[in-house]
């Protein structure tokens, strides 16, 4: 029988909460982590607000040997991965090392670290550039450090597809589980809120220049004028459903039931962007109809024409106001490689508790964005399946569908709010 | 002949702490002078990083090839000392 990839652990590092439960509580309450940029003085730059993780002390979560060797983005990845493993009750020492793998997404690599080293290069000279620059900046650094720390020596990798990357990573993780890998740490983080990183991001023309944290990022809303960047993300522990049952995993959040990725046609071609096709292919991959999806976590670009095209894609599949849509990333900003990973974590918690978190800030839908956008407050709902959609700058599209694991086939399923009686 | 010691293993410990961190399994208060960097959890990159820091802060030239041949804190501290004295 085909091995089925389920998610048994969630680790979160988000601007509005460190740890899955802190993040989830904040998200349900509509508590935002977006605020004025404090990491540096943004006075000379055209951006003012961001989703910074304010209260993160790397020394509390990351081995001191690794701190000077790695970028903040890797610190957040190591932290999330450890939290996810702890949540899964999975002790890496109990698994054969070549049967564990790490597949993460990265969008910027170690930008903040790199900026520090470039500053040393230009102000003091080449001999002041640290040896660790060689390993801290590159996209695979987080995957590598997680792999080394936990002794996971199976097929590891990194995916770079901007905001869509984490869904591609999860798709790869599912493939690894199917082909026999016992456990995969997957997801993504990003942390590029330094002048160098933000200047690079700003070149896409999509960053919000608003200084009002509550009105800077309004996807699908009247007044949408770009997105707010943030840092952080999530890591997930995936394993085969039967393996998880065999080791009595404490929680099974859901199954990775469908995944697909597409690429946009070249700019100016006049052809439809690839997002709808990614959603459609993910449904087909899951063997599901649109009617079986209970909520869509939108990409939510916050750029009017991109919002319109996403709304059109959703409505083409689900019908006008045919499915609840939400964008809790309005409380964190777009986290690039971490964004879709955090959305997946959010979708799994949404299924667990039967409540859809709100999209904050948006008071009035933009004309043409005719969506059932969950706003104002969280909405209780029976959620058996959730779709996460993501678009990465440069033409990447991906969609993942997670489903609640079959209660009949998994009587061992327990969640904090619905303890199993078996 | 007694040599003037101006750079000690304790001074080196401070460099190690700031530029390469400390392995959880290692107690820096112990006598680690003759424990190899490898056993202390420092790989070749960490040794290069420490050598570069010492070079920049003390003005002692430590070529990469030389750094690789200095297996313990005592060996590295002595290498620096000799060149400081000279």
């Amino acid at each position: 029988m085909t091995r089925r990839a389920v998610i048994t652990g969630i680790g979160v590092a988000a601007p509005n909460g460190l740890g899955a439960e802190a993040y989830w509580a904040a998200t349900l309450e509509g508590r935002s982590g977006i605020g004025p940029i404090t990491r540096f003085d943004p006075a000379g730059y055209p951006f003012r607000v961001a989703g910074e993780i304010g209260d993160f002390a790397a020394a509390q979560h990351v081995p001191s040997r690794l701190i000077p060797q790695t970028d903040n983005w890797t610190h957040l990845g190591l932290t999330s991965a450890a939290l996810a493993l702890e949540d899964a009750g999975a002790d890496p020492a109990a698994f054969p090392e070549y049967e564990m793998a790490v597949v993460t997404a990265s969008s910027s690599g170690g930008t903040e670290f790199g900026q520090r080293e470039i500053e040393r290069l230009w102000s003091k000279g080449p001999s002041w550039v640290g040896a660790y620059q060689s390993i801290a900046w590159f996209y695979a650094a987080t995957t590598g450090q997680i792999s080394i720390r936990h002794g996971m020596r199976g097929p590891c990798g990194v995916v770079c597809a901007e905001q869509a990357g984490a869904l591609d990573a999860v798709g790869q993780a599912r493939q690894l589980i199917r082909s026999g890998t016992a456990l995969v740490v997957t997801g993504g983080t990003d942390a590029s809120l330094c002048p160098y990183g933000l200047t690079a991001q700003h070149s896409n023309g999509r960053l919000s220049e608003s200084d009002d944290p509550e009105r800077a990022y309004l996807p699908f809303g009247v007044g949408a004028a770009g997105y707010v960047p943030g840092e952080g993300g999530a890591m997930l522990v995936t394993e085969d459903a039967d393996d998880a049952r065999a080791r009595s995993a404490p929680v099974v959040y859901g199954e990775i039931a469908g995944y697909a990725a597409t690429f946009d046609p070249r700019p100016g071609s006049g052809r439809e962007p690839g997002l709808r096709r990614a959603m459609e292919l993910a449904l087909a991959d899951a063997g599901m109809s649109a009617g079986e999806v209970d909520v869509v976590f939108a990409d939510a670009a916050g750029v009017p024409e991109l919002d319109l095209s996403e709304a059109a894609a959703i409505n083409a599949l689900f019908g006008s106001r045919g499915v609840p849509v939400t964008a809790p990333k309005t409380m964190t900003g777009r986290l690039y490689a971490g964004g879709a990973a955090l959305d997946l974590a959010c979708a799994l918690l949404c299924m667990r508790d039967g409540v859809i978190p709100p999209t904050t800030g948006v008071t009035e839908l933009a004309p043409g964005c005719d969506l059932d956008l969950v706003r104002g407050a969280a909405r209780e709902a029976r959620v058996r399946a959730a779709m996460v959609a993501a678009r990465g700058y440069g033409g990447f599209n991906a969609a993942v569908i997670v489903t609640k694991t079959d209660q009949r086939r998994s009587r061992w399923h327990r969640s904090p709010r619905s303890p199993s009686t078996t | 002949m007694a040599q003037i010691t101006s750079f000690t293993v304790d001074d080196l410990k401070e460099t190690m702490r700031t530029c390469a961190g400390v392995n959880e399994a290692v107690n820096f208060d112990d006598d680690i002078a003759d424990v190899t960097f490898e056993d202390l959890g420092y790989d070749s990159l960490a040794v290069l990083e420490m050598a570069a820091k010492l070079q920049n802060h003390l003005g002692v030239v430590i070529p990469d090839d030389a750094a690789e041949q200095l297996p313990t804190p005592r060996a590295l501290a002595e290498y620096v000392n000799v060149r400081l004295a000279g």
Side-chain angles (χ1 to χ4, degrees), chain A:
Chain A
M1 198 187 141
T2 311
R3 288 163 58 85
R4 294 157 54 225
V6 294
I7 291 156
T8 54
I10 301 176
V12 166
N16 60 345
L18 188 64
E21 299 307 331
Y23 159 74
W24 181 232
T27 301
L28 287 182
E29 287 170 22
R31 220 175 329 122
S32 174
I34 292 173
I37 291 172
T38 63
R39 204 63 59 75
F40 63 96
D41 179 6
Y45 300 90
F47 28 81
R48 290 289 174 275
V49 300
E52 294 180 345
I53 299 180
D55 55 357
F56 179 74
Q60 288 173 16
H61 304 278
V62 180
S64 81
R65 274 286 282 112
L66 295 182
I67 292 175
Q69 301 190 21
T70 50
D71 182 80
N72 187 31
W73 138 75
T74 299
H75 299 167
L76 297 173
L78 282 164
T79 302
S80 309
L83 290 171
L85 285 164
E86 188 189 325
D87 186 38
D91 175 9
F95 291 77
E97 57 183 354
Y98 287 99
E99 290 180 24
M100 294 181 288
V102 185
V103 183
T104 69
S106 175
S107 177
S108 306
T111 317
E112 199 172 11
F113 196 106
Q115 167 152 8
R116 257 190 340 254
E117 299 303 325
I118 290 168
E119 283 168 358
R120 288 199 188 114
L121 173 67
W122 290 108
S123 63
K124 293 180 165 176
S127 73
W128 289 79
V129 176
Y132 295 132
Q133 168 64 6
S134 62
I135 59 163
W137 75 271
F138 81 128
Y139 302 100
T142 297
T143 285
Q145 295 292 357
I146 294 171
S147 159
I148 294 166
R149 183 181 184 187
H150 299 292
M152 299 175 167
R153 310 183 75 172
C156 294
V158 63
V159 182
C160 306
E162 220 249 8
Q163 182 91 14
L167 298 187
D168 294 322
V170 167
Q172 282 197 14
R174 181 180 69 158
Q175 193 52 46
L176 290 174
I177 296 296
R178 282 179 175 170
S179 59
T181 301
L183 181 151
V184 184
V185 172
T186 188
T189 53
D190 241 315
S192 194
L193 301 181
C194 56
Y196 165 31
L198 281 169
T199 300
Q201 294 160 40
H202 188 260
S203 67
N204 71 15
R206 297 177 180 177
L207 286 197
S208 173
E209 297 183 356
S210 164
D211 60 2
D212 178 355
E214 284 168 24
R215 302 280 303 162
Y217 179 29
L218 303 170
F220 307 113
V222 167
Y227 69 86
V228 170
E231 65 183 346
M235 293 294 172
L236 308 170
V237 171
T238 61
E239 19 182 355
D240 168 64
D242 290 338
D243 288 357
R245 176 170 37 211
R247 73 166 183 92
S248 302
V251 183
V252 171
Y253 290 99
E255 178 175 357
I256 305 164
Y259 157 70
T262 63
F263 201 73
D264 283 339
R266 70 176 167 79
S269 73
R271 289 163 57 206
E272 184 197 7
L275 183 63
R276 180 188 56 81
R277 215 157 30 93
M279 292 173 162
E280 219 165 59
L281 291 169
L283 277 171
D285 182 57
M288 291 168 65
S289 65
E292 292 175 89
V293 172
D294 301 307
V295 61
V296 173
F297 286 74
D299 173 64
V303 175
E305 64 268 27
L306 293 170
D307 289 346
L308 274 174
S309 94
E310 183 172 26
I314 292 171
N315 288 345
L317 254 69
F318 298 94
S320 183
R321 296 180 187 258
V323 65
V325 174
T326 192
K329 57 169 71 75
T330 45
M331 292 171 251
T332 62
R334 286 172 75 80
L335 308 184
Y336 302 96
L342 188 62
D343 274 347
L344 262 181
C346 196
L348 294 162
L349 296 165
C350 159
M351 286 201 301
R352 182 190 73 184
D353 291 349
V355 53
I356 301 172
T359 303
T360 58
V362 179
T363 47
E364 195 184 338
L365 288 174
C369 293
D370 201 18
L371 300 171
D372 174 14
L373 190 69
V374 177
R375 282 173 291 162
R379 183 194 295 178
E380 290 195 11
R382 182 171 173 274
V383 183
R384 306 269 309 154
M387 175 187 278
V388 175
R391 287 176 292 192
Y393 182 74
F396 305 99
N397 305 282
V400 163
I401 296 166
V402 285
T403 54
K404 241 181 158 151
T405 40
D406 192 312
Q407 297 299 320
R408 184 169 44 78
R409 280 159 72 186
S410 37
R411 289 184 307 268
W412 43 282
H413 175 92
R414 293 197 310 270
S415 74
R417 295 210 181 169
S418 55
S420 166
T421 52
T422 56

